Amino acid sequence: MTPSADEGSPDAALASAVVRVAGTDGTVGGVGFLIAPDLVITCAHVVRDALGPPREHTGAPAVELTLDRPLAGPGRAAAEVAHWAPPRPDRTGDIAVLRLREPLPGAVPLAMADAGSLWGHPVRVLGLTRAFPDGVWHAGRLRGESAENRVRLSAADRRGGPLEHGFSGGPVWDEQAGAVVGMVVVAEFSGAPQSFAIPTESLVSEIPALAGVLRPASPFRGLDTFREPDADGYFGRDAEAEDIAGLLGRGDLPGVALTGPSGCGKSSLALAGVAPRLRAEGYEVLVLRADGDTPPRTALAAELLRLAGPGPHGADRGAALRGLEEELNRHGLVGAARRALGDPAGRYLLVLDQAEQLPAVPEAAGLLFPDPHPEALRVLLTLRADFLEAAPSHPLLGPALGRATVRPLLPMTRAQLSEVILRPLDRTPAVSYDPGLVHRVLDDAGAEPGALPRLGFVLERLWDERAAGRLRFTSYEELGGVSGALGRHAEAAWRACAGPADREEALRLLTGLVRLPPGGQAPLRTTLTRAEAGETRWRIARALAERRILVLGGGPERGPTVELAHEALIDAWPALARQAAVRESPGASPPRRGDDPARERRLRQRALAVLGALLVIAAVASSLLYLATTDPARELRGAGRSAGGQPVSRTATMPLKTPT
């Protein structure tokens, strides 16, 4: 039987993944199908039939099996039983998972899904029967579940009968779901010939180890920042992460300022790229995400409490926070951290994420950037490029830049973006892209400023709408591509959540989610508490959060809060862009119909990218002027060689002569 010529068709997918299960003497027991490059699932009774009697033995057979793909050309592989659930008297079980010793060349695993209610779904199954040893298709429909958590298979029309032997262990392809939703078990209950399938949910319940294979979570983060626990799934910035980790661990200066435009991936690089590398060198990682409102001392105390637990204060979080703030006052960051975490020789990496939002609290400079700077403390801050010019005069950012190597983060290359798109699917081999889709996405992403959050969002949506194990070209077009998917989704969420009666309150909500800080050339997202929003706006905020446009958070200090899922929404979401434009010019009238504030902001971002190098030079010069006036000895060391007598790294900040 020849499968469909369409590479992405169900027939071709099934033909590629269905295997014949045989014993070492060539006895065929039935079929199975690939769920991973090295895993095949089938019925336990298929394995027994392949091995011969006795069938009453319930333990997992320790005998080698032979697998081949009868519909996809020559090639065999040896396999052994990895997981076993024998048939039970209560008509449960009957599942075997086989592990291949070597992958079958060219075989592609099948995507599986939980289809929810399966009643009436049209399906197709493939079997190798005595009458059709080369394969035969059966069309049918799924009916109600039995008490044994199985689903009955009926013929597609009255002329068809139940399945016969040779279909057991085969995949049930759901035409509606576009994926496999179960495994065939041919059985005869109550004396009448009937056909059943074990749905995906029951397969996972019987063998929990299959959960990650049969129900893979999305490998894409969407608008979410990659954090330290996500390091294994963070791709594309290995070289930059190694470079910055080296500067922090072995450089002359105790800090690195990672700068770049919004949407270039600074936070993810710091948290998922650099932080794990410093932790591997023995550093404890403290993360302080500035929000413009929380004093740095309070935020640091909360971070230490998170790492150390409440300690002797028990459930009294307020007392614990006050105690830690007092420790920070008396002993500084390193001393307080060593006491709180019980490590008298601890070394610490402080990540100041979105440092442009740090409040102008001069007394916090001695806490975050003490002078002299302790050897046990390293500081990594992320800073938007459009704040570099004003940063040296900021009471907190000025001292930070004075002791930091300023490192601009360049846009990702096409090769790096290709890693972002392709490598997350390495762990989900049953899912792939439609031919040509990756090149199209790369072309679109390469032309967009701040493209990473937009790219992450469209990849996550493509995953959600995958069909037949494919991320589809048609879905990409319908979503709006890299440039349009986020804006379209936000506008649809806006129309659904902000009806005419709530429109004014909804607009006030948007206005409260952005602000223009001193020294900034573009708006920033900001957090809004429930108390500040009021109940009407909070209700709208919750509805938008359900659609992943806003993010709910908060804690005991401020109570529930809400913020934009990403600053990229300020440009991509027309309704928010209009409100941000009003916020930038409070006395101006709202934009006229046809105005495009998002486009103007994108043009400004392109200009910022061009001027980024000049801004870095200006920031470095200002920082080193500050450094020269506060520590002449450090300037003298940096002018030629490091303290250890080695040449200064090319990436380190060098002193510049400034006219007096």
Side-chain angles (χ1 to χ4, degrees), residues 223-224 457 486 489-490 493-494 497 506 509-514 525-528 533 537-553 561-567 569-570 573 576:
L223 294 176
D224 293 341
F457 180 81
L486 180 56
H489 178 73
W494 174 252
C497 301
L509 170 67
L510 295 188
T511 304
L513 293 173
V514 293
R525 60 175 170 169
T526 189
T527 56
L528 192 65
R537 275 174 270 174
W538 187 255
R539 172 175 53 80
I540 300 168
R542 286 175 62 90
L544 289 169
E546 290 176 359
R547 290 161 174 81
R548 297 182 290 183
I549 296 301
L550 305 184
V551 176
L552 301 178
T561 61
V562 65
E563 63 179 327
L564 295 172
H566 197 281
E567 279 183 358
L569 283 160
I570 298 175
W573 185 1
L576 181 58

Side-chain angles (χ1 to χ4, degrees), residues 370-660:
D371 189 13
H373 199 100
E375 285 295 321
L377 178 64
R378 292 292 181 263
V379 180
L380 172 61
L381 59 93
T382 67
L383 181 66
R384 249 174 50 177
D386 52 317
F387 284 82
L388 270 172
E389 188 174 7
S393 61
H394 190 283
L396 290 183
L397 295 179
L401 293 177
R403 298 182 179 90
T405 300
V406 178
R407 180 54 114 197
L409 185 59
L410 300 177
M412 276 190 166
T413 65
R414 189 178 179 92
Q416 288 175 311
L417 288 172
S418 182
E419 286 192 56
V420 172
I421 296 169
L422 289 171
R423 288 190 62 188
L425 294 190
D426 288 348
R427 297 178 185 176
T428 54
V431 182
S432 60
Y433 290 92
D434 268 351
L437 179 54
V438 171
H439 292 289
R440 170 64 182 277
V441 174
L442 284 170
D443 289 343
D444 292 349
E448 283 293 311
L452 281 179
R454 296 171 184 254
L455 175 61
F457 180 81
V458 77
L459 291 176
E460 184 180 50
R461 291 296 306 278
L462 285 172
W463 174 270
D464 292 342
E465 298 192 12
R466 69 191 185 280
R470 289 291 190 94
L471 277 62
R472 293 297 188 182
F473 216 123
T474 53
S475 297
Y476 181 76
E477 296 284 0
E478 291 168 359
L479 289 169
V482 173
S483 62
L486 180 56
R488 289 188 188 182
H489 178 73
E491 280 296 291
W494 174 252
R495 290 192 298 271
C497 301
D502 294 329
R503 187 58 53 89
E504 290 302 319
E505 285 296 301
L507 290 172
R508 291 190 180 95
L509 170 67
L510 295 188
T511 304
L513 293 173
V514 293
R515 68 186 180 94
L516 187 68
Q521 301 180 26
L524 297 173
R525 60 175 170 169
T526 189
T527 56
L528 192 65
T529 67
R530 181 171 185 170
E532 292 165 344
E535 289 307 305
T536 299
R537 275 174 270 174
W538 187 255
R539 172 175 53 80
I540 300 168
R542 286 175 62 90
L544 289 169
E546 290 176 359
R547 290 161 174 81
R548 297 182 290 183
I549 296 301
L550 305 184
V551 176
L552 301 178
E557 292 77 35
R558 300 185 66 195
T561 61
V562 65
E563 63 179 327
L564 295 172
H566 197 281
E567 279 183 358
L569 283 160
I570 298 175
D571 286 338
W573 185 1
L576 181 58
R578 289 189 291 269
Q579 291 305 110
V582 173
R583 190 68 181 260
E584 289 183 55
S585 305
S589 300
R592 298 184 305 273
R593 184 179 299 275
D595 288 350
D596 189 355
R599 178 177 177 274
E600 295 300 321
R601 192 166 292 109
R602 286 195 293 271
L603 292 173
R604 182 166 58 237
Q605 285 181 332
R606 290 190 179 98
L608 284 172
V610 174
L611 295 174
L614 296 177
L615 291 175
V616 170
I617 292 172
V620 171
S622 300
S623 302
L624 287 167
L625 178 60
Y626 172 89
L627 185 62
T629 59
T630 56
D631 191 354
R634 187 186 299 272
E635 180 189 24
L636 184 60
R637 288 196 303 270
R641 307 184 70 81
S642 68
Q646 298 299 318
V648 176
S649 167
R650 289 178 56 205
T651 58
T653 304
M654 298 292 291
L656 302 176
K657 296 297 183 181
T658 305
T660 57

